[in-house]
Amino acid sequence: MTDRVERFLLKGAPVRGEIVSLDESWREVVARHELPPAVRDRLGELSAASLLLAATLKFDGAMVVQIHGDGPVSLFVVECLTDGSYRATVKLRDEHGPIAHDASLASLVNAQDGGRFVVTLDPRGESPNRQPWQGIVPFDGNSVAEMRERYMQQSEQLPTRLWLAADERRAVGLLLQRLPGEGGTGAADDEDGWNRMQRLAETITPEELLGLAPAKVLERLFWQEALHAFDGRGVHFACNCSRDKVVGMLKMLGREEVDGILAERGSVEVRCDYCNELWRFDPVDCGVVFAQAGDLAPGTATHH
């Protein structure tokens, strides 16, 4: 098994599909965060769903998927780049109590009906005519799959179905989408094909998704159908945090603010939410930062 998104077309029906398997990359995400199993698995499902949708992007850049919650989880985030890299994180509320092993996404983020779902498309290196775009909708659904299906129906007007599963070792997703039909030709046959493919996919279990290789999943579901596979692409975990970015943040905070943190704590520590990397700056480090910025180092007195 490997970390890849594979695309396919079901001939004889107006249906395209994708299947994603996250193995090593997902285990790297899991190793960097200590999460309750239900939260971990929902993040895995959201990662798989996001990579399936990101595989269709037609520009060079990023897709950021966020679920803002009012329950035990305040935020889920998955960022996918068009080069196949992704990173993911969760923010839990400090006061959250025990979380059930089988807790649904709705119970985690929509306990008081205040959850919302946000998708941001961020072109990078494109012409200035292509601007970032963001869509925000209320949370709707009981699972990651239901939420993404309803969002796709609203945003793209294309019927879309998702089957997702995740545990501590794998995150897997299967997407089916009905292709736009050509008016006046075979509408009844098209509708039957779309319904038939959904019924076939609905027979898959989470255990099979997690236990079978992607090719075996497709063989198990569509062995009687004419399936045409396209070239897939690899995906991998990657975080773009760096010491230089933390230095930039310190410069934005300014000398006085950093000086106050040093006086209180003795050092400035910044931990990346995605990869859990800790960046530590002592007074000497901070002095170098502001000296390079053409400012006085923290704690340096001026004389008049």
Side-chain angles (χ1 to χ4, degrees):
M1 298 181 184
T2 186
D3 298 68
R4 288 183 65 80
V5 177
E6 302 287 351
R7 298 184 302 145
F8 59 91
L9 184 69
L10 289 159
K11 298 180 180 178
V15 180
R16 62 172 290 271
E18 296 172 4
I19 187 167
V20 61
S21 174
L22 306 178
D23 296 289
E24 291 184 10
S25 66
W26 174 239
R27 289 192 289 273
E28 187 164 357
V29 173
V30 170
R32 293 175 182 269
H33 301 277
E34 293 184 10
L35 298 172
V39 176
R40 176 202 66 209
D41 295 351
R42 301 298 82 78
L43 181 63
E45 292 169 357
L46 186 64
S47 298
S50 300
L51 284 164
L52 287 171
L53 273 299
T56 65
L57 295 179
K58 304 300 183 183
F59 61 84
D60 180 24
M63 181 179 77
V64 182
V65 178
Q66 299 174 308
I67 304 175
H68 296 261
D70 60 8
V73 176
S74 64
L75 182 66
F76 282 100
V77 184
V78 178
E79 181 186 63
C80 306
L81 272 62
T82 46
D83 65 1
S85 64
Y86 78 100
R87 57 182 185 168
T89 190
V90 177
K91 290 188 177 180
L92 298 173
R93 285 192 162 79
D94 293 337
E95 68 276 13
H96 78 82
I99 296 176
H101 185 83
D102 59 349
S104 68
L105 180 68
S107 69
L108 294 173
V109 301
N110 203 41
Q112 307 298 323
D113 295 326
R116 62 189 189 276
F117 178 61
V118 182
V119 174
T120 304
L121 302 180
D122 183 14
R124 300 175 182 178
E126 294 280 328
S127 69
N129 294 329
R130 185 183 288 275
Q131 299 298 319
W133 176 90
Q134 186 174 77
I136 305 174
V137 297
F139 182 89
D140 185 14
N142 194 55
S143 66
V144 175
E146 289 180 6
M147 178 198 65
R148 291 309 303 255
E149 288 171 357
R150 293 172 186 178
Y151 177 82
M152 292 297 295
Q153 178 65 48
Q154 294 175 18
S155 65
E156 296 193 12
Q157 306 298 313
L158 289 175
T160 304
R161 295 292 309 277
L162 284 163
W163 291 264
L164 305 167
D167 59 15
E168 72 279 5
R169 296 198 52 81
R170 293 191 77 203
V172 184
L174 171 67
L175 175 147
L176 294 183
Q177 191 170 68
R178 180 175 178 177
L179 296 171
E182 298 181 6
T185 59
D189 291 340
D190 286 354
E191 188 66 38
D192 178 69
W194 169 240
N195 290 335
R196 184 174 75 256
M197 299 310 168
Q198 290 184 82
R199 289 194 299 269
L200 291 173
E202 285 167 354
T203 66
I204 199 72
T205 67
E207 292 75 18
E208 287 176 310
L209 279 173
L210 292 171
L212 296 175
K216 291 296 184 182
V217 170
L218 298 181
E219 181 181 338
R220 146 81 171 79
L221 293 175
F222 306 118
W223 63 277
Q224 287 185 311
E225 305 294 332
L227 185 147
H228 175 67
F230 297 98
D231 291 338
R233 72 172 187 184
V235 296
H236 59 280
F237 171 83
C239 187
N240 61 5
C241 72
S242 68
R243 187 177 181 85
D244 287 344
K245 290 188 175 182
V246 179
V247 166
M249 185 195 72
L250 296 181
K251 292 177 181 177
M252 290 181 63
L253 285 176
R255 178 179 59 82
E256 292 185 6
E257 182 73 18
V258 172
D259 197 19
I261 297 173
L262 289 172
E264 179 182 348
R265 304 178 184 177
S267 65
V268 179
E269 294 185 350
V270 178
R271 186 178 295 277
C272 177
D273 289 333
Y274 289 96
C275 69
N276 217 26
E277 185 75 28
L278 178 65
W279 305 95
R280 183 178 183 276
F281 290 74
D282 62 20
V284 174
D285 295 325
C286 293
V288 172
V289 168
F290 288 97
Q292 291 175 342
D295 199 352
L296 292 174
T300 300
T302 58
H303 300 279
H304 299 279

